[in-house]
């Protein structure tokens, strides 16, 4: 019989995971990833000098009303609405990446690939949602992930790293390793590429292998999704919709948890 995973082990794995998720999500949230704000600022320059005034006003409105991180419309959205955006837009991307192992059908499902990538996707989404609710500290995000994904209620001090065995330097080093590909991409291209994002998700998933037994508890699709996921080739479709269903459940649980634990 496998030895039970302790809360301390869960915290030791989740703290560097959360720290690795934070910089990537915060950079995306606080930046102007699509250049929309910058375009709005240029509306009085030569770019629109020849545009008839009425049309110019419509263009400005169109640019600033798009609801993506870094725009005025985004700033006006509630935390709940921004969380919904993360689930629908980022969730599709991570669910698609997570479903790729399903191409191997039952063989891939016997390996921890599906659970590690799926849990990484859900943990990443939870960190994004937490940020939109104003929760930025590592300890609270660790408690959120443990509760929503693993149904564990972690002690606040333990989650915050307030115990004798906590090694801050080792934790920071592990978090840096998880984001190596992302950091390299930003230095080379000035932004994170899709390849770097996918590679980082894979690294985040591998970082959760220390608590593999807990990953099986995470929200996932229904029986039909799992049945289709066992089939070769078409299994990817079943896994994709299963992961999407799991992400929706994660979003709902996160909203409840964050509302109940709001300071």
């Amino acid at each position: 019989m496998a030895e039970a995973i302790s809360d301390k082990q869960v915290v030791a794995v989740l703290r560097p995971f959360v720290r690795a998720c934070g910089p990537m999500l915060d950079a995306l949230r606080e930046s102007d990833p699509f250049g929309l704000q910058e375009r709005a600022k240029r509306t009085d320059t030569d770019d629109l000098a020849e545009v008839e005034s009425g049309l110019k006003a419509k263009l400005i409105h169109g640019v600033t009303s798009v609801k993506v991180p870094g725009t005025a419309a985004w700033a006006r959205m509630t935390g709940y609405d921004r969380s919904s955006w993360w689930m629908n837009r980022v969730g599709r991307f991570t669910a698609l990446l997570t479903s790729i192992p399903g191409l191997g059908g039952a063989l891939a499902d016997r390996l921890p690939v599906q659970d590690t990538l799926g849990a990484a996707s859900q943990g990443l989404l939870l960190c994004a949602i937490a940020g939109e609710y104003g929760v930025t500290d590592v300890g609270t995000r660790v408690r959120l992930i443990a509760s929503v994904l693993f149904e564990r209620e972690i002690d606040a001090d333990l989650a915050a790293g307030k115990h004798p065995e906590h090694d801050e330097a080792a934790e920071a080093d592990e978090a840096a390793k998880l984001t190596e590909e992302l950091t390299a991409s930003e230095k080379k291209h000035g932004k994170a590429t899709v390849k770097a994002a996918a590679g980082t998700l894979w690294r985040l998933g591998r970082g959760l292998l220390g608590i593999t037994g807990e990953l099986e508890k995470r929200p996932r699709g229904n029986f039909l999704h799992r049945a289709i996921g066992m089939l070769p080739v078409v299994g990817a479709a079943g896994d994709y919709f299963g992961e999407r269903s799991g992400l929706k459940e994660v979003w709902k649980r996160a909203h409840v948890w964050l509302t109940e634990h709001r300071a």
Side-chain angles (χ1 to χ4, degrees):
M1 183 176 178
E3 185 177 348
I5 298 173
S6 68
D7 285 354
K8 188 176 293 184
Q9 288 174 288
V10 172
V11 170
V13 169
L14 288 185
R15 280 190 61 86
F17 174 87
V18 167
R19 291 179 65 160
C21 288
M24 180 168 62
L25 292 171
D26 290 341
L28 178 61
R29 184 183 301 107
E30 295 168 5
S31 66
D32 183 13
F34 301 99
L36 295 174
Q37 289 286 60
E38 186 59 33
R39 292 183 186 183
K41 294 174 184 177
R42 294 203 306 265
T43 51
D44 291 327
T45 67
D46 292 338
D47 289 350
L48 296 177
E50 304 299 324
V51 179
E52 188 266 331
S53 59
L55 178 57
K56 180 190 288 188
K58 291 181 180 179
L59 289 173
I60 294 173
H61 174 73
V63 167
T64 58
S65 63
V66 178
K67 296 178 179 179
V68 294
T71 65
W74 178 268
R76 292 193 296 269
M77 292 167 66
T78 64
Y80 185 87
D81 289 337
R82 289 195 294 268
S83 298
S84 177
W85 182 92
W86 282 111
M87 196 281 293
N88 286 308
R89 305 299 170 85
V90 178
R92 287 193 183 100
F93 171 70
T94 57
L96 181 60
L97 291 177
T98 302
S99 70
I100 292 175
L103 289 170
L107 177 61
D109 288 336
R110 293 193 190 101
L111 303 174
V113 175
Q114 197 75 38
D115 276 330
T116 53
L117 283 178
S121 300
Q122 292 175 343
L124 187 66
L125 178 63
L126 282 172
C127 286
I129 292 173
E132 299 307 341
Y133 278 76
V135 174
T136 58
D137 66 286
V138 174
T140 304
R141 290 187 178 189
V142 164
R143 292 172 60 215
L144 169 66
I145 295 174
S147 179
V148 171
L149 299 193
F150 313 139
E151 299 180 344
R152 279 183 182 249
E153 299 307 319
I154 303 291
D155 176 75
D157 285 343
L158 178 62
K162 297 178 180 179
H163 59 89
E165 297 174 24
H166 179 240
D167 188 332
E168 181 70 20
E171 179 180 292
D173 183 58
E174 178 61 25
K177 289 179 180 177
L178 294 175
T179 56
E180 280 180 348
E181 194 167 348
L182 187 69
T183 301
S185 174
E186 291 176 340
K187 287 182 179 179
K188 183 176 181 179
H189 304 286
K191 63 178 181 179
T193 63
V194 173
K195 180 180 179 181
T200 300
L201 182 65
W202 173 240
R203 285 173 181 261
L204 289 171
R206 286 190 303 176
L208 297 174
L209 287 174
I211 52 172
T212 303
E214 290 296 293
L215 307 186
E216 299 173 357
K217 300 177 182 178
R218 68 187 182 87
R220 59 188 70 217
N222 57 32
F223 174 78
L224 179 60
H225 295 139
R226 293 194 293 273
I228 296 175
M230 294 293 288
L231 302 174
V233 183
V234 296
D239 287 337
Y240 172 79
F241 289 112
E243 291 300 333
R244 286 285 295 160
S245 176
L247 286 170
K248 289 179 181 178
E249 179 61 26
V250 164
W251 176 49
K252 292 176 183 177
R253 293 186 187 182
H255 173 66
V256 172
W257 194 93
L258 289 165
T259 300
E260 292 178 348
H261 292 77
R262 182 175 294 170

